[in-house]
Amino acid sequence: MLNLVLFGPPGAGKGTQSEKLIAKYQLVHLSTGDILRGEIKNQTTLGLEAKKLMDAGVLVPDEVVIGMIGNKLEENKSAKGFIFDGFPRTTAQAEALDKLLAGKNTSVKMMLALEVDNEELTKRLLLRGKDSGRADDSNESIIRNRINEYNNKTAPLKDYYTAQGKFHGVNGIGSIDDIFASLCSLIDK
Ligand code: B4P
């Protein structure tokens, strides 16, 4: 199984590159952000709780997203592999993912990290906010919160995957196709 973790700060292009990777490698896309936005759209209890946190640019609790990923793995037993997009975002989530995959006799093959500076991230998210209607893209102070959450809780995962020899950084600035080519060359190595 080819299990990839796509990593990077908010707006780094994880969703954008996931779409291209799924098409090329025929993997199942598991984006916790998309799943949570689906729950909000359907006005489920989980969605209503998550909305407050997401709109403020804060991470939702680990047990919520870990439960969601566990369910999706069960629903896709015959998958050739998965792209984890926006998950894990904390060490507890990374440890839970390792356990869930070990229970299925598989593991994360690599973490692909899109590296983009804060100025470019803010620019991209404000631009997307003009059309997306996403509350968390709508103003600079919420975007700053998201970047702070990333630096405090998510960035340490670089060390977690480096210790397993699985971390690979890629420059996330440039054309979408060039970035995609860099990702593919790492996967195909
Ligand atoms: P996510 O939905 O994961 O969103 P993201 O970090 O904003 O986006 P991404 O990096 O995918 O950016 P994209 O490709 O869209 O998270 C939203 C919220 O959900 C979190 O804040 C949190 O509250 C919650 N959440 C999700 N997962 C969680 C978890 N595991 N634990 C706890 N909470 C969780 O790109 C952004 C923009 O840049 C787009 O407009 C795109 O067109 C543009 N772009 C992409 N590549 C570009 C390039 N090369 N050049 C120029 N622009 C580019």
Side-chain angles (χ1 to χ4, degrees), residues 38-92:
E39 297 281 338
I40 293 172
K41 202 167 159 215
N42 294 328
Q43 301 203 311
T44 63
T45 316
L46 191 161
L48 294 174
E49 279 303 309
K51 182 171 176 11
K52 290 180 217 149
L53 299 167
M54 289 170 74
D55 285 358
V58 176
L59 293 184
V60 306
D62 286 335
E63 57 276 19
V64 172
V65 283
I66 291 167
M68 284 177 355
I69 289 288
N71 291 340
K72 291 287 174 190
L73 292 178
E74 278 302 300
E75 284 169 21
N76 291 282
K77 282 194 175 128
S78 54
K80 285 185 181 172
F82 294 92
I83 292 191
F84 297 96
D85 163 6
F87 180 91
R89 262 177 156 101
T90 63
T91 305

Side-chain angles (χ1 to χ4, degrees), residues 95-117:
E95 288 168 350
L97 180 61
D98 280 348
K99 274 200 201 123
L100 284 168
L101 292 177
K104 300 189 181 316
N105 294 318
T106 184
S107 59
V108 169
K109 180 171 193 259
M110 54 172 66
M111 167 182 262
L112 298 162
L114 295 166
E115 293 165 344
V116 179
D117 61 71

Side-chain angles (χ1 to χ4, degrees), residues 8-18 31-34 36-37 50 53-55 57-62 65-66 68-69 85-90 93 114 120-121 124-125 127-129 134 136-137 146 149 172-177 179:
K14 302 182 291 288
T16 306
Q17 295 297 333
S18 286
S31 158
T32 38
D34 287 351
L36 289 166
R37 282 185 289 277
L53 299 167
M54 289 170 74
D55 285 358
V58 176
L59 293 184
V60 306
D62 286 335
V65 283
I66 291 167
M68 284 177 355
I69 289 288
D85 163 6
F87 180 91
R89 262 177 156 101
T90 63
Q93 292 180 22
L114 295 166
E120 170 75 11
L121 295 173
R124 286 184 191 178
L125 293 174
L127 191 70
R128 182 173 68 184
R134 274 176 59 170
D136 59 346
D137 288 343
R146 292 164 66 191
E149 283 277 271
I173 297 186
S175 84
I176 289 171
D177 286 341
I179 297 165

Side-chain angles (χ1 to χ4, degrees), residues 3-44:
N3 298 312
L4 306 173
V5 170
L6 210 51
F7 183 71
K14 302 182 291 288
T16 306
Q17 295 297 333
S18 286
E19 280 181 30
K20 296 174 78 68
L21 291 167
I22 301 154
K24 177 162 169 148
Y25 296 98
Q26 289 158 9
L27 304 172
V28 172
H29 183 208
L30 294 185
S31 158
T32 38
D34 287 351
I35 301 169
L36 289 166
R37 282 185 289 277
E39 297 281 338
I40 293 172
K41 202 167 159 215
N42 294 328
Q43 301 203 311
T44 63

Side-chain angles (χ1 to χ4, degrees), residues 10 56-58 118-119 121-122 125-126 136-152:
V58 176
N118 288 356
E119 202 184 324
L121 295 173
T122 310
L125 293 174
L126 286 172
D136 59 346
D137 288 343
S138 66
N139 79 58
E140 250 184 278
S141 86
I142 297 173
I143 291 172
R144 240 189 330 261
N145 266 354
R146 292 164 66 191
I147 295 174
N148 284 343
E149 283 277 271
Y150 173 82
N151 288 332
N152 294 333

